[in-house]
Amino acid sequence: MYDIIVIGGGHAGCEAALAPSRMGLKTLLITANIEKIAHMPCNPSIGGPAKGIVVREIDALGGEMGINTDKSHIQMRLLNTGKGPGVQALRAQADKVDYPKNMQETLLNQKNLTVLEHMVEDLIVENKVIKGVVIDQHKKYYARKVILTAGTYMQAKIMISSETWSSGPDNEKPSENLSDNLRRLGFKTMRLKTGTPPRVAINSVDFNKTEIQPGDMEYHAFSFDTTDYKPLDEQVPCYLTYTDDRTHEIIMNNLNKSSMYGAIEKIESKGPRYCPSIEDKIVRFSDKPRHQIFLEPESIHIPEIYVQGFSTSLPKEVQDEMIHTIKGLENCEIVRYAYAIEYDAINPTHLWPTLESKKIKGLYFAGQVNGTSGYEEAAGQGLMAGINAALDIKEKPPLILKRNEAYIGVMIDDLVTKGTHEPYRLLTSRAEYRLLLRHDNADIRLREYGYQVGLIDEKRYAKFRKKIENIEEEKKRLGSIRISPTQEVNDYLKSIHSSPLKDGITPLRLLKRPEMTYEHLMALLNEDAVLSKEEIQQIEIQVKYEGYIRKMKSQVDKMNKLEERTIPQDINYDEISNLAIEARQKLKQIRPLTLGQAQRISGVNPSDISILMIYLDTYSRRRKESVI
């Protein structure tokens, strides 16, 4: 008997198992292959736009992905440094061998966590309440909660042109029975597909014909607690090259042989819109003369290059022909051919915002089984499912992150409110409050939650509180002193291309100038900086973007008024006259918890929200009168 059983050892499963075990609950992780825990079957990178911010959020809450990436990466870069802080994010090239190895070591040494190598075949459900799982050989394990993180393994099928076979990623054993049993329990499933590009031998690539893409020559970390950095000169570069007319011609001449593109047979599964196959790119963007191809080393232990941007399911002989048209790859040797993979996922509108199932109490879902794509999205869901399952056992309120609090909150709200018909990927454009959801302030937004649920210990929390105290005290100090318009001051301002002062001004106000930095203020004040780089960055962003941030927080306050209006779950939407038919159907299906969530449901219009608000007022009065 366990408190929580986690099914699957992918990126969602790792976080889902670590969180409750660290919260003191007896946890069991069941995975088909222990050596494949935290495996990276596709691109061995962590982070990128929006995704990198999710990794920082996971770390702020007490998750493991950021810590593990800092230990396991071979290159790291801060993206979009020429743009505003709202879209900056870290991206690391993780080592495909070291990353899973380090995560496995963490899991196997975690107190309260048992790891078992088996395949789960069925769920034990009694009166619509989860009781445990059935593994192969019909052995049963019981638990108070179960978190299903089956990834892309449920009835998975690999496709290379007309050649297909049942398999999970990298020819791992698929789960053949689990999705059938989920459908038997009333869950709707959908077929999704994704793909991976070929890998080529590193010594067969002519890098002289490509553009080098080195890592940043300054220290970065996903975790707010990382202090031991890898040497910068040990970073491994990536390389950039391009397709050309010859590549496109070969692809167009062989489109009828592509299973990814859907020409071999009638394939109903939807592929990732924002990470399309090379066939999709050539057809959808036929006006482009070339497409970027990134050559990314997978590991310092494996002499292979990941050909990013070249995902395909064309026949092997066609893959050979078209890859040899790319500069630098004319004589390359493909050591593993590209393939497409098709798999079952559930409809995420079957879930509450806690990621608990609406149909089976105590059953949670996280990761690509919910229709998402990407390691980071999976890990974020796994962490939240693990936290909420544990909080429910402890009889504490759930942790539901709002859209203005975290990209994780945006993602989960999108999934459970709008659903998805294709592999969902987080983008900065999905977040309406992205200036608030920055890479730099993830700990300020979320570390308090991590501490409250028990995933951030006293030492880490004290370090965080000291950081906040330092920032606030320095802002207060800079707002209480003045800089006079002396000749020396104005000469310095002129040297940094800033306009001279006519009157005295506080350093805090002077920092609002776009060209002004905290370092400039220290020079003007003849002081040495004593704050950390992160503390200085926070002061600069909070001061320079104060007006924008205030305006956005005002919008959040208005939205939160709708979020505070809860909708009783026993409400009968058929009783509400004048609701549009589509709105009535969607409200009955999703059963939103608040007016704010109802407003975001596709097909529910502002007029429907007004009608619902009026009905709720009447409903509330009737309930009060009945109590009296």
Side-chain angles (χ1 to χ4, degrees), residues 3 19-26 112 394:
D3 291 310
S21 60
R22 289 169 171 174
M23 294 167 71
L25 298 180
K26 189 179 177 184
N112 300 319
K394 291 170 176 281

Side-chain angles (χ1 to χ4, degrees), residues 188-319:
K188 291 181 180 178
T189 62
M190 53 186 169
R191 291 295 274 176
L192 298 177
K193 66 181 177 183
T194 188
T196 189
R199 275 69 160 179
V200 301
I202 195 168
N203 59 6
S204 67
V205 178
D206 186 352
F207 292 110
N208 292 323
K209 295 182 179 180
T210 65
E211 302 171 26
I212 192 168
Q213 304 281 303
D216 288 349
M217 291 308 291
E218 66 174 295
Y219 292 113
H220 297 302
F222 278 108
S223 175
F224 291 95
D225 301 299
T226 291
T227 55
D228 186 14
Y229 296 92
K230 288 196 165 189
L232 295 175
D233 57 2
E234 292 182 9
Q235 292 190 96
V236 180
C238 298
Y239 300 86
L240 173 63
T241 185
Y242 299 90
T243 62
D244 62 20
D245 291 340
R246 295 172 301 153
T247 324
H248 301 186
E249 182 181 358
I250 293 169
I251 292 170
M252 292 303 294
N253 290 340
N254 289 278
L255 268 183
N256 62 325
K257 301 175 185 176
S258 168
S259 51
M260 177 72 99
Y261 191 69
I264 292 291
E265 55 182 285
K266 182 62 177 175
I267 296 177
E268 296 181 358
S269 57
K270 296 290 183 68
R273 183 188 312 182
Y274 302 103
C275 188
S277 67
I278 190 65
E279 298 98 290
D280 280 327
K281 289 181 188 176
I282 301 307
V283 173
R284 285 163 51 185
F285 308 106
S286 57
D287 57 319
K288 288 195 172 184
R290 64 179 190 173
H291 293 275
Q292 289 183 330
I293 302 295
F294 289 94
L295 307 179
E296 303 178 341
E298 291 202 303
S299 168
I300 60 173
H301 310 287
I302 302 174
E304 295 179 9
I305 290 286
Y306 181 93
V307 188
Q308 167 78 320
F310 212 65
S311 175
T312 183
S313 58
L314 284 164
K316 294 176 181 177
E317 62 274 13
V318 178
Q319 292 187 37

Side-chain angles (χ1 to χ4, degrees), residues 7 122-132 146-148 154-155 177-191 344-352 355-366 369-371 416 589:
I7 304 170
D122 202 358
L123 304 175
I124 304 171
V125 178
E126 296 176 9
N127 299 319
K128 296 187 177 182
V129 177
I130 195 72
K131 297 295 181 179
V146 171
I147 306 173
L148 199 158
M154 293 199 305
Q155 295 192 346
N177 301 320
L178 196 52
S179 50
D180 284 338
N181 288 321
L182 287 172
R183 286 187 283 268
R184 175 177 53 80
L185 291 169
F187 291 93
K188 291 181 180 178
T189 62
M190 53 186 169
R191 291 295 274 176
D344 281 345
I346 69 156
N347 183 338
T349 60
H350 288 320
L351 309 176
W352 297 114
L355 296 180
E356 183 181 18
S357 160
K358 295 175 181 176
K359 296 180 178 294
I360 308 295
K361 184 169 178 55
L363 176 61
Y364 295 72
F365 291 80
V369 71
N370 289 343
V416 304
Q589 176 193 352

Side-chain angles (χ1 to χ4, degrees), residues 79-88 545:
L79 306 181
N80 298 324
T81 53
K83 299 180 180 179
V87 293
Q88 293 179 10
Y545 292 88

Side-chain angles (χ1 to χ4, degrees), residues 35 215 335 409 472 563 599:
E35 292 184 355
V335 293
E472 293 306 315
E563 297 292 347
Q599 183 177 246

